[in-house]
Amino acid sequence: MAPTYDVIVLGLGGMGSAAAYHLSLRGSRVLGLEKFGPAHNRGSSHGGSRITRQSYFEDPAYVPLLLRSYELYDKLAHDSGRRITELCGGVMIGRPESRTVSGSLRSARQWDLPHEMLDAREIRRRFPTLTPEDDEVALYEERAGFVRPEFTVAAHIQLAQQAGAELRFEEPVVRWEELPGGRGVRVHTAEDTYTAGHLVVCPGAWAPRLLTDMGVPFTVERQIMYWFRPREGTRPFESARHPVYIWEDAEGTQIYGFPAIDGPDGGAKVAFFRRGTVCTPETIDRTVHDHETEAMRRHLADRIPDLPGTCLKAVTCMYTTTADEHFVMARHPAHPGTVTVACGFSGHGFKFVPVVGEIVADLALDGETAHPIDLFDPRRLSAAAV
């Protein structure tokens, strides 16, 4: 008979590995279960880099969580001995009325975040790799930069195991159920059956299958990340010269990108934001086709003309998106005494990974958290779907 744990964590990607760490740090007996290997590339927590920023155009309500996440990322790097973040600066570019610019400015002003507003001429002067149109502007944030997703997951796994967590990889979960009387949960995997007092579900793109009784519609989308070798060499694209960026055009299409962070053979990464195709983890096409790469080349041609040289590689990942593009973090509405969920991060969640781990541990162990998470209540979505 498998032992009884305090908490079982389903999914050990970005959010699940952070949850396992924070739960273990508080003395809980933790079992973590993962369908694939550690820091794998089959879901959403891969790709070498993710943007981190504080002037958050999505909603100013995220800013307190970002400030805490920055603190926890620093602690994670210190405790694990890994270089996880780099704050190389970032620009949010578009027309003044665009969501990218106006939303970023709103958050910066509301929370008194250090920032500068740059006109097109100043953008070109400071960052010669970028060629905005004359009517475009940018919010520049010095404390923007990038985090390393694989390093982040590996660090949380390392520290969770050091704190006593039992983490099992290549062991997919088949189903789970609440025990009679709400006395805990039972989890069935391809290998065994386990019981625990509480269940944490961090399923990523598997949310539609594992959380069918939550009443929340999720859309899983295939996304593509590209790495190009700049035409004039990588020196102008090094992180000391080239910022991270999110760039919105007149039609509302956004791209985001990074410096060349892995040397001349790594190239500079760029991707469309929210221009994916609906898929499932089982049906996703992981082949990137020539017409898709050419579409990115055309989009870059007038904006970052030195970038689209040789495409060194292109890989897919998945967004799991809610109807309003805000997260889901709460006790499960149908199982509030035994199940906590963290999912639906809608393509902008990785910068929050360590604070999500802290929040999930709060919810699982105490039933509440001091962090502001009202925006992420799943009942807002299930009610809207009725």
Side-chain angles (χ1 to χ4, degrees), residues 257-279:
F258 302 81
I261 63 178
D262 290 317
D265 295 329
K269 176 183 166 185
V270 64
F272 286 109
F273 188 45
R274 307 198 185 288
R275 192 171 166 174
T277 55
V278 175
C279 69

Side-chain angles (χ1 to χ4, degrees), residues 117-137:
M117 294 303 301
L118 312 179
D119 61 18
R121 184 175 182 178
E122 183 65 7
I123 297 168
R124 297 185 201 109
R125 188 188 71 80
R126 289 202 199 182
F127 309 112
T129 52
L130 308 179
T131 57
E133 296 183 11
D134 289 342
D135 60 349
E136 290 183 312
V137 300

Side-chain angles (χ1 to χ4, degrees), residues 279-319:
C279 69
T280 70
E282 293 74 32
T283 63
I284 182 173
D285 180 2
R286 295 194 180 274
T287 299
V288 178
H289 303 279
D290 288 346
H291 72 271
E292 294 173 314
T293 303
E294 288 309 308
M296 176 56 79
R297 285 184 190 280
R298 289 194 299 273
H299 199 85
L300 293 172
D302 294 330
R303 295 172 178 84
I304 316 178
D306 288 338
L307 180 55
T310 301
C311 184
L312 299 172
K313 67 175 179 177
V315 301
T316 60
C317 70
M318 290 179 283
Y319 288 0

Side-chain angles (χ1 to χ4, degrees), residues 37-378:
H40 64 82
N41 64 355
R42 310 300 290 173
S44 305
S45 299
H46 64 282
S49 57
R50 291 287 188 275
I51 287 178
T52 188
R53 53 195 165 90
Q54 295 179 356
S55 301
Y56 216 60
F57 65 77
E58 287 83 351
D59 196 300
Y62 286 89
V63 174
L65 300 181
L66 287 162
L67 298 177
R68 178 57 175 160
S69 192
Y70 269 56
E71 294 173 351
L72 290 172
Y73 263 122
D74 286 345
K75 184 177 188 303
L76 181 65
H78 176 270
D79 292 350
S80 67
R82 299 172 186 265
R83 186 177 180 184
I84 292 174
T85 63
E86 181 174 341
L87 303 183
C88 58
V91 284
M92 311 302 122
I93 307 175
R95 286 166 175 78
E97 69 278 7
S98 67
R99 183 189 183 201
T100 300
V101 174
S102 66
S104 298
L105 183 58
R106 177 187 172 202
S107 285
R109 286 175 171 170
Q110 181 169 325
W111 292 98
D112 196 25
L113 301 173
H115 68 282
E116 296 178 67
M117 294 303 301
L118 312 179
D119 61 18
R121 184 175 182 178
E122 183 65 7
I123 297 168
R124 297 185 201 109
R125 188 188 71 80
R126 289 202 199 182
F127 309 112
T129 52
L130 308 179
T131 57
E133 296 183 11
D134 289 342
D135 60 349
E136 290 183 312
V137 300
L139 181 143
Y140 173 70
E141 180 184 326
E142 186 178 13
R143 287 186 58 74
F146 58 88
V147 301
R148 298 280 203 160
E150 290 91 345
F151 292 1
T152 298
V153 174
H156 277 133
I157 288 171
Q158 168 197 331
L159 295 176
Q161 290 175 322
Q162 289 176 4
E166 180 182 343
L167 307 182
R168 295 175 177 261
F169 297 94
E170 308 289 348
E171 188 167 344
V173 171
V174 177
R175 69 183 188 280
W176 60 269
E177 68 261 359
E178 190 174 55
L179 296 174
R183 294 180 292 106
V185 294
R186 182 181 293 115
V187 177
H188 306 270
T189 74
E191 305 293 332
D192 210 336
T193 298
Y194 307 95
T195 59
H198 200 87
L199 177 66
V200 167
V201 186
C202 300
W206 287 262
R209 182 172 71 82
L210 289 173
L211 295 171
T212 55
D213 61 344
M214 197 164 66
V216 173
F218 298 101
T219 300
V220 178
E221 296 179 344
R222 169 184 177 268
Q223 305 288 339
I224 307 172
M225 301 173 282
Y226 304 87
W227 285 258
F228 288 98
R229 178 183 288 122
R231 290 194 177 99
E232 301 300 322
T234 56
R235 184 171 174 80
F237 286 84
E238 292 173 352
S239 59
R241 298 172 173 82
H242 187 76
V244 299
Y245 55 90
I246 299 175
W247 199 327
E248 181 177 343
D249 68 14
E251 286 72 45
T253 299
Q254 293 169 303
I255 59 170
Y256 65 94
F258 302 81
I261 63 178
D262 290 317
D265 295 329
K269 176 183 166 185
V270 64
F272 286 109
F273 188 45
R274 307 198 185 288
R275 192 171 166 174
T277 55
V278 175
C279 69
T280 70
E282 293 74 32
T283 63
I284 182 173
D285 180 2
R286 295 194 180 274
T287 299
V288 178
H289 303 279
D290 288 346
H291 72 271
E292 294 173 314
T293 303
E294 288 309 308
M296 176 56 79
R297 285 184 190 280
R298 289 194 299 273
H299 199 85
L300 293 172
D302 294 330
R303 295 172 178 84
I304 316 178
D306 288 338
L307 180 55
T310 301
C311 184
L312 299 172
K313 67 175 179 177
V315 301
T316 60
C317 70
M318 290 179 283
Y319 288 0
T320 307
T321 304
T322 64
D324 60 8
E325 299 175 1
H326 296 310
F327 308 159
V328 171
M329 284 195 290
R331 287 284 186 105
H332 193 307
H335 311 281
T338 55
V339 182
T340 296
V341 297
C343 57
F345 289 95
S346 303
H348 63 110
F350 203 90
K351 60 186 70 64
F352 298 90
V353 158
V355 75
V356 168
E358 188 170 67
I359 290 167
V360 166
D362 289 343
L363 294 173
L365 300 180
D366 305 326
E368 60 183 5
T369 181
H371 289 293
I373 63 167
D374 290 348
L375 182 61
F376 312 131
D377 189 327

